[in-house]
Amino acid sequence: MGMKAKVAFGAVVGIVVIGAVSANAGGDDKNDGARGGDKGSSAPAEHKSGGTKGSGGTKGSGGTKAAEEEKAALGGDGEYQVGTDVKPGTYRTTGNTDDMCYWERAKDASGELDSMLANDNVSGTSYVTVKPTDKLFKSSGCKDWEAVDLKAKGTPGSSMDGDGGMYKVGTDIALGTYKSTGNTDDSCYWERTKDADHGLNSIIANNNISGTAVVTISPSDAYFKTNDCGDWKKA
């Protein structure tokens, strides 16, 4: 069965169908553009934050760890030079609505399409890994980004908001088989990924579903994306 994924380019979402695996068009690392929301099922767990504006350590505190973590946090609007304004690492934004949050990883600051490495329109929660080889990270209309401690432990849930966006496996959501019902018109999209790079090679499996959806989240999965689906419950 052919599968479809949503692609974000310049904050415009489209559809692409690529055989049995979906991804983005136009480059070797552009993302599939999943969406999210936060309606009250098992929400993504809290992570050790890199600090938000005005929190954590302050300048002049003698180079404390808290100050370093605060520097790693990002505002939801801006363009950040990697290595100068933002450290390489994984970041998380949550509480976004109406697809107004847009982010982009870029290999230069030309602003041209070819400079784009990966991007996404976000509703709800998203994770993204900024790589040392990236030159620029752009964010527009998003809630502030927090640096994620990948070693932090959460209490994995056994249910998910079907429009909740991106869940970290083992922290936000537990392993197992999940079922979502009430989906119509192929609008329900899910994706299992091995990382938060948002590239074609990140995708383990995905699908657009009409009707009942069933998916098994495995130990090899790092994240699970879901948008426009009925709530997921562990079967």
Side-chain angles (χ1 to χ4, degrees):
M1 164 170 51
M3 298 184 183
K4 298 174 282 186
K6 298 189 177 182
V7 185
F9 290 112
V12 177
V13 179
I15 299 288
V16 62
V17 182
I18 304 178
V21 179
S22 74
N24 31 13
D28 58 3
D29 197 22
K30 296 183 179 65
N31 81 312
D32 58 290
R35 293 176 48 200
D38 208 354
K39 298 180 181 176
S41 292
S42 177
E46 291 299 321
H47 293 264
K48 183 177 180 182
S49 172
T52 57
K53 292 179 181 178
S55 66
T58 58
K59 292 182 179 180
S61 59
T64 64
K65 182 178 180 181
E68 292 174 354
E69 288 179 344
E70 179 179 322
K71 186 177 180 181
L74 301 173
D77 290 288
E79 298 185 349
Y80 305 95
Q81 288 183 292
V82 178
T84 302
D85 303 321
V86 57
K87 297 178 182 179
T90 299
Y91 295 84
R92 173 181 181 259
T93 181
T94 191
N96 302 288
T97 59
D98 302 326
D99 285 339
M100 296 304 293
C101 168
Y102 173 80
W103 65 259
E104 179 181 320
R105 292 171 46 223
K107 64 183 180 181
D108 57 46
S110 69
E112 298 177 2
L113 183 61
D114 287 346
S115 71
M116 187 188 302
L117 296 171
N119 69 345
D120 203 356
N121 292 102
V122 177
S123 182
T125 295
S126 183
Y127 293 81
V128 60
T129 297
V130 177
K131 296 184 175 182
T133 50
D134 296 353
K135 298 301 181 183
L136 200 67
F137 180 76
K138 303 179 183 180
S139 179
S140 176
C142 301
K143 300 293 185 180
D144 286 354
W145 296 83
E146 62 178 357
V148 174
D149 181 354
L150 296 178
K151 296 180 180 180
K153 302 297 182 181
T155 303
S158 58
S159 63
M160 290 176 283
D161 182 342
D163 201 30
M166 199 167 177
Y167 293 80
K168 191 173 187 299
V169 177
T171 302
D172 302 329
I173 191 66
L175 301 175
T177 299
Y178 291 80
K179 180 182 289 186
S180 170
T181 59
N183 306 299
T184 59
D185 302 326
D186 289 334
S187 60
C188 167
Y189 175 76
W190 64 258
E191 179 181 305
R192 296 166 48 220
T193 70
K194 65 182 181 181
D195 54 43
D197 294 355
H198 296 266
L200 174 60
N201 293 331
S202 300
I203 300 172
I204 297 172
N206 66 351
N207 208 354
N208 285 91
I209 294 292
S210 180
T212 300
V214 180
V215 62
T216 297
I217 298 175
S218 304
S220 60
D221 303 349
Y223 299 92
F224 181 76
K225 295 182 182 181
T226 173
N227 66 270
D228 294 331
C229 300
D231 289 349
W232 295 86
K233 295 183 180 180
K234 199 169 183 180

